[in-house]
Amino acid sequence: MPNEADTCRRYVVPRLQTAGWDTDPHRINEQVTFTDGRIIVAGRRGRRRPGKRADYILRYRPDFAIAVVEAKATYATPGDGLQQAKEYAEILGLKFAYATNGHGIVEFDYTTGVERVIDTFPTPAELWARLTASESLNAEVAETLLTPAYHLSGKSPRYYQEIAINRAVQAVAQGDQRILLTMATGTGKTVVAFQICWKLWSSRWNRTGEHRRPRILYLADRNILVDDPMAKIFAPFGEARWKIANGVAVTSREMYFAIYQSIAKDANRPGLYREYAPDFFDLIIVDECHRGSARDDSNWREILEYFSPAVQIGMTATPRRQDNADTYNYFGDPIYTYSLRRGIDDGFLAPYRVHRVVTTWDAAGWRPTQGELDRFGREIPDEEYHTNDFERRVSLRARTEAVARHLSDYLRRTDRFAKTIVFCVDQEHADEMRRALNNLNSDLVRDDPDYVCRITSDEGDLGRGHLSNFQDLERRTPVVVTTSQLLTTGVDAPTVQNIVLVRVINSMTEFKQIIGRGTRVRDDYGKLFFSILDYTGSATRLFADPDFDGDPNIETEQTIDESGEPTSDETVVTPEEEPDGDEGPVELPPDTEDGPRRKFYFDGGRVEVAAHLVYELDPDGNQLRVVQFTDYTADKVRTLYRNAAELRGQWADPEQRRGIIERLEERGIDFDHLAEAANQPDADPLDLLCHLAFNAPLRTRRERAQRLRAERQDFFDQYGPEAQQILNELLDKYTEHGTAQFVVPDVLELPPINSHGNVIEIAGKFGDVAQLRDAVNQLQSLLYAAA
């Protein structure tokens, strides 16, 4: 009976070719996997689910997809694949969806809302005519929209980038003056900006309709957000590039870059931007536009208003909120949004595990003794200080050292060379944290002096050098960097595995920017997920915000003492919604004769780390109670299996066991992690699951192996002496390492089993390879036959 692949090969492709889709410049893209597949974290390992794959994507031009086709086997009805085709069309932003069994064809037209059965696929010209009519695209707009993107870099835009590019170019060509794109950090906004500029520049679009290339300004608020794109992604513009700086207004180029500060007015000059005519630029790209440029009270807003004749495209990573409402009021609603949640679901962004760590001073507050003096001999006001006050009103060295010790211990347990960013309250705090981390890791610093570095604006060129090395995939150090504000945005460090929060964050916008430092995925470097170590409660509170669109994969909480040692077990929890906690500017201490000091400095006392928590949302997005990781596992097992007998019955079969392990890993359950959490390193995985979920007796692997040898000697007697020895050695491997050691032929290549010969020779002891495999499978079945 013909399957889906047969349908595609024999019927679908010929019919698409007949309709003209295989004729240049049109394209038929077959078996297109357009997402990478969500990453599932289990223990300390990550694995991917399969990506979404369309049978066919039809392109009117190589850079312009227009329809999706889903094929089913000939015995299915033509419309069986339509729901999937529509789902893919909506994700891909396409207006036409088709389903076919090779004979009949069902079409859904999003421009009319009509579903109908048709005899043949529409031609490219027919679909293009329908689309241009529905979108009101005239010939000039269509020509600009269909201008080829830049592909010589070897990397074509991802599906969502292509949507953003084409929608922005269409909006510009149709005369929209203010355009907004909202794309999560790490999804390639700069690539999108480059391709928009390239298509408009290559098509010679401009506001006045003259035969010339457009003059484009790429505007941001930090040099790193301008210099890096100009030197790398925008390099194809060649000599057309120019950075406006040093008070010089050059007018002979076409692709300009600038930061607001270099062109804005100040006390000494009226503003360099005024040396350009208001209508000089045709297009302005405003990167990270939520960070002040469009705010009603922003000094930089007047730059955008001065260049109001230009088309202005704002790019931001944050959906509309109270703290960025001015941006949306200025640019309008986004023409396309690609959220953090969608990026994680698609597998383009890394999921994350959140560790909520609480010191005793953060949990209960800190109060100085009566008449307590600080480092500079000033009396510290007698009041209770809390997390919001730490390192703002009062600097607590013991707390900084406890956090540094806990973080260092965490790295020792996981990976001491995992790239880590520590976000501190200010530059001074970042230096204190750097020193504490340096001294706690002196064994590594001795060989790698740059193992821990501070990267703040104070470091200047030295700091930029450390940052470049930190971003370099091939450089081992720096490993841990401390910072305050400098690294919150615009820094692409794909292998960052730990984000550490030691300062309170009240802004969702800033929080998403910080989280974005870790969301880059690098499969080739083993970076599939990252961890957030939250010492202030910021992540916990902001995850609970209903506007947050990227739920944590798993979140843990643990309390630590002043030595950085855990004082409680790690637990799995969900975030409780808390008040915003933004109390406005704190009152700073007055200046003294020692010079102005913003805060008091207390170097004594003892602080302990008091908690380590895991926040997990159920599939419906509901908040769960605080539970131990073992209770969380038990609950997940009970949702999959009705009783211990059902679980044991499936576990005894090697193939079904593999499926059980995969289902549990998809829910974040790894056996090594579970055995560690339950403090049962010698327990058999099946027995541990049954014990936790159904209160069954708990046996060790050794007990199971001994029971099999004692009760089923008849199984061993059917084989020769050397074959029996091999089976007993397999049982020894199981006793030591667990069921993973039953993988054939891999286990046969390990000592002492490999002393019996190569795989073929060992199989000969049992008769042949098939009989060897049968013997191993039967050994496993008997091992789990008894309760």
Side-chain angles (χ1 to χ4, degrees):
M1 182 177 293
N3 56 25
E4 186 176 310
D6 295 327
T7 301
C8 293
R9 184 176 61 256
R10 297 180 187 176
Y11 305 108
V12 180
V13 172
R15 299 186 75 172
L16 289 171
Q17 290 172 332
T18 299
W21 287 102
D22 203 23
T23 304
D24 197 66
H26 315 303
R27 296 285 190 276
I28 303 172
N29 292 157
E30 301 183 51
Q31 301 300 313
V32 182
T33 300
F34 57 88
T35 72
D36 282 356
R38 184 185 175 109
I39 298 165
I40 304 299
V41 182
R44 294 191 179 97
R45 296 180 296 113
R47 56 185 291 271
R48 286 189 181 274
R49 288 177 177 167
K52 289 183 171 64
R53 185 175 70 177
D55 289 333
Y56 301 96
I57 293 178
L58 307 182
R59 293 183 172 274
Y60 185 70
R61 290 288 189 275
D63 295 313
F64 194 89
I66 197 169
V68 62
V69 180
E70 282 299 307
K72 296 299 178 184
T74 53
Y75 57 79
T77 62
D80 278 0
L82 186 62
Q83 202 59 42
Q84 186 176 25
K86 289 173 67 177
E87 177 192 351
Y88 289 170
E90 288 163 18
I91 293 172
L92 296 169
L94 306 179
K95 298 298 185 182
F96 306 100
Y98 296 90
T100 179
N101 63 354
H103 301 295
I105 304 170
V106 178
E107 174 192 75
F108 187 84
D109 185 339
Y110 282 88
T111 67
T112 61
V114 174
E115 178 181 326
R116 60 183 181 138
V117 177
I118 56 179
D119 296 325
T120 60
F121 286 106
T123 65
E126 182 183 343
L127 281 194
W128 180 247
R130 284 199 237 167
L131 182 66
T132 54
S134 69
E135 299 285 324
S136 302
L137 303 179
N138 60 36
E140 186 178 349
V141 171
E143 181 181 357
T144 302
L145 181 60
L146 296 177
T147 300
Y150 185 86
H151 293 282
L152 294 182
S153 64
K155 293 181 66 175
S156 295
R158 293 168 173 167
Y159 84 86
Y160 62 87
Q161 294 172 332
E162 187 174 295
I163 295 171
I165 294 162
N166 287 333
R167 288 191 183 177
V169 170
Q170 179 178 331
V172 170
Q174 289 184 313
D176 291 1
Q177 286 295 107
R178 302 289 179 267
I179 300 163
L180 183 64
L181 292 171
T182 300
M183 300 175 66
T185 300
T187 57
K189 292 190 297 295
T190 309
V191 170
V192 170
F194 163 72
Q195 293 288 6
I196 292 169
C197 295
W198 183 264
K199 285 169 74 85
L200 294 173
W201 188 73
S202 300
S203 68
R204 294 182 178 270
W205 166 89
N206 57 72
R207 289 183 307 100
T208 59
E210 302 170 82
H211 185 69
R212 63 173 175 84
R213 297 189 189 276
R215 291 185 288 267
I216 303 171
L217 174 62
Y218 187 95
L219 196 56
D221 69 339
R222 298 187 183 183
N223 277 310
I224 194 171
L225 298 178
V226 166
D227 295 344
D228 200 59
M230 179 178 172
K232 297 176 182 176
I233 294 178
F234 282 79
F237 280 94
E239 295 299 316
R241 294 169 297 164
W242 184 262
K243 182 180 180 182
I244 304 172
N246 303 318
V248 179
V250 172
T251 60
S252 58
R253 307 300 176 94
E254 293 157 348
M255 187 70 235
Y256 294 84
F257 298 82
I259 61 171
Y260 298 103
Q261 297 91 325
S262 67
I263 62 174
K265 69 178 181 181
D266 57 28
N268 301 317
R269 59 185 183 184
L272 183 61
Y273 71 92
R274 291 187 175 275
E275 296 192 24
Y276 294 92
D279 61 354
F280 179 80
F281 295 109
D282 298 287
L283 173 69
I284 298 178
I285 302 285
V286 186
D287 191 24
E288 307 289 0
C289 63
H290 61 274
R291 297 186 352 148
S293 60
R295 284 171 46 187
D296 290 337
D297 60 349
S298 170
N299 291 329
W300 301 332
R301 173 73 168 264
E302 66 182 57
I303 297 175
L304 299 184
E305 291 176 342
Y306 177 81
F307 291 120
S308 60
V311 175
Q312 297 176 12
I313 300 178
M315 308 195 76
T316 181
T318 57
R320 184 180 190 126
R321 293 178 54 84
Q322 185 174 352
D323 60 2
N324 65 359
D326 289 342
T327 296
Y328 282 76
N329 293 338
Y330 183 81
F331 286 103
D333 291 331
I335 61 171
Y336 183 64
T337 297
Y338 189 75
S339 68
L340 177 62
R341 177 173 294 170
R342 169 61 73 181
I344 292 173
D345 285 344
D346 285 347
F348 295 126
L349 296 180
Y352 41 92
R353 174 167 283 166
V354 180
H355 299 259
R356 171 70 176 107
V357 184
V358 187
T359 74
T360 49
W361 285 354
D362 286 276
W366 174 80
R367 186 168 187 166
T369 59
Q370 189 75 29
E372 187 91 59
L373 301 181
D374 80 345
R375 184 186 305 167
F376 300 98
R378 299 172 301 169
E379 183 174 335
I380 304 174
D382 183 14
E383 60 182 275
E384 194 168 272
Y385 298 88
H386 295 278
T387 304
N388 275 345
D389 303 313
F390 298 155
E391 306 307 322
R392 298 181 188 275
R393 299 179 62 196
V394 59
S395 176
L396 304 172
R397 178 174 289 174
R399 176 176 177 268
T400 297
E401 290 178 347
V403 169
R405 188 173 295 106
H406 180 269
L407 173 58
S408 298
D409 289 343
Y410 173 82
L411 292 174
R412 285 187 178 91
R413 293 195 309 272
T414 54
D415 178 3
R416 295 187 76 183
F417 283 90
K419 293 291 180 77
T420 301
I421 304 178
V422 185
F423 288 95
C424 302
V425 172
D426 54 26
Q427 298 193 48
E428 183 180 43
H429 186 214
D431 191 52
E432 292 269 356
M433 184 63 69
R434 180 203 59 77
R435 185 176 300 108
L437 288 166
N438 180 95
N439 294 337
L440 288 164
N441 294 277
S442 57
D443 57 322
L444 296 180
V445 176
R446 184 172 57 247
D447 297 325
D448 292 303
D450 291 335
Y451 177 80
V452 185
C453 290
R454 184 182 76 157
I455 300 177
T456 64
S457 57
D458 278 0
E459 271 76 29
D461 290 340
L462 178 62
R464 281 189 285 274
H466 287 320
L467 175 57
S468 178
N469 291 337
F470 184 73
Q471 294 174 285
D472 191 332
L473 295 173
E474 304 303 327
R475 294 291 292 260
R476 197 179 191 193
T477 58
V479 174
V480 182
V481 298
T482 65
T483 188
S484 55
Q485 295 285 344
L486 189 62
L487 302 186
T488 57
T489 187
V491 176
D492 185 8
T495 55
V496 168
Q497 291 183 285
N498 299 304
I499 300 293
V500 182
L501 305 179
V502 201
R503 68 177 169 91
V504 175
I505 302 165
N506 290 315
S507 164
M508 176 66 79
T509 299
E510 183 182 16
F511 177 62
K512 284 192 172 182
Q513 292 288 340
I514 287 175
I515 296 306
R517 300 312 103 213
T519 53
R520 272 74 170 180
V521 175
R522 284 303 297 255
D523 297 69
D524 50 344
Y525 284 84
K527 161 69 185 302
L528 293 175
F529 65 96
F530 68 104
S531 295
I532 302 168
L533 283 83
D534 177 16
Y535 292 90
T536 65
S538 298
T540 304
R541 172 168 42 80
L542 292 168
F543 285 148
D545 191 311
D547 290 336
F548 187 76
D549 67 345
D551 304 326
N553 178 273
I554 198 166
E555 187 168 345
T556 68
E557 181 169 306
Q558 188 173 44
T559 306
I560 58 176
D561 60 21
E562 76 277 6
S563 301
E565 295 295 327
T567 60
S568 66
D569 291 334
E570 192 170 74
T571 52
V572 181
V573 303
T574 53
E576 298 288 336
E577 186 148 4
E578 300 178 13
D580 186 272
D582 188 353
E583 302 172 356
V586 298
E587 183 179 348
L588 301 178
D591 296 349
T592 71
E593 58 187 25
D594 291 327
R597 303 207 179 274
R598 296 190 300 106
K599 51 191 173 184
F600 295 100
Y601 298 83
F602 180 67
D603 297 337
R606 289 176 60 84
V607 59
E608 303 181 354
V609 171
H612 205 138
L613 287 179
V614 174
Y615 293 72
E616 178 78 11
L617 298 181
D618 67 17
D620 298 323
N622 299 320
Q623 295 179 355
L624 304 179
R625 63 192 184 284
V626 177
V627 294
Q628 295 290 336
F629 183 66
T630 50
D631 294 338
Y632 165 79
T633 300
D635 184 60
K636 294 299 182 185
V637 171
R638 286 192 292 268
T639 63
L640 294 170
Y641 305 99
R642 291 169 294 181
N643 50 50
E646 180 183 2
L647 176 56
R648 286 195 183 100
Q650 294 187 28
W651 188 272
D653 179 84
E655 288 300 319
Q656 293 190 67
R657 185 189 313 138
R658 188 175 295 111
I660 294 171
I661 293 171
E662 288 179 356
R663 284 193 290 274
L664 293 175
E665 285 183 344
E666 286 183 356
R667 289 156 178 80
I669 299 168
D670 171 78
F671 285 123
D672 291 338
H673 185 205
L674 181 62
E676 181 182 340
N679 196 27
Q680 295 291 342
D682 299 323
D684 180 88
L686 171 64
D687 291 316
L688 185 54
L689 292 175
C690 290
H691 174 70
L692 295 174
F694 306 110
N695 203 30
L698 186 61
R699 290 191 179 92
T700 65
R701 296 190 296 272
R702 185 173 302 279
E703 288 172 336
R704 276 202 174 272
Q706 290 174 343
R707 183 172 181 176
L708 174 59
R709 288 184 173 114
E711 297 181 0
R712 294 306 306 266
Q713 185 60 40
D714 59 315
F715 166 70
F716 295 93
D717 289 343
Q718 63 183 311
Y719 300 104
E722 194 167 2
Q724 289 187 37
Q725 184 180 351
I726 292 170
L727 292 172
N728 274 295
E729 288 169 352
L730 280 172
L731 274 182
D732 291 340
K733 285 288 182 185
Y734 157 76
T735 300
E736 185 178 356
H737 301 291
T739 53
Q741 293 301 321
F742 283 103
V743 177
V744 175
D746 299 2
V747 69
L748 305 180
E749 299 173 358
L750 299 175
I753 302 174
N754 60 3
S755 65
H756 298 279
N758 59 37
V759 174
I760 299 300
E761 290 170 337
I762 291 174
K765 315 293 184 187
F766 294 83
D768 55 28
V769 173
Q771 289 175 296
L772 166 64
R773 198 173 296 277
D774 288 343
V776 174
N777 287 342
Q778 189 178 0
L779 178 70
Q780 295 179 78
S781 298
L782 292 173
L783 187 65
Y784 293 109

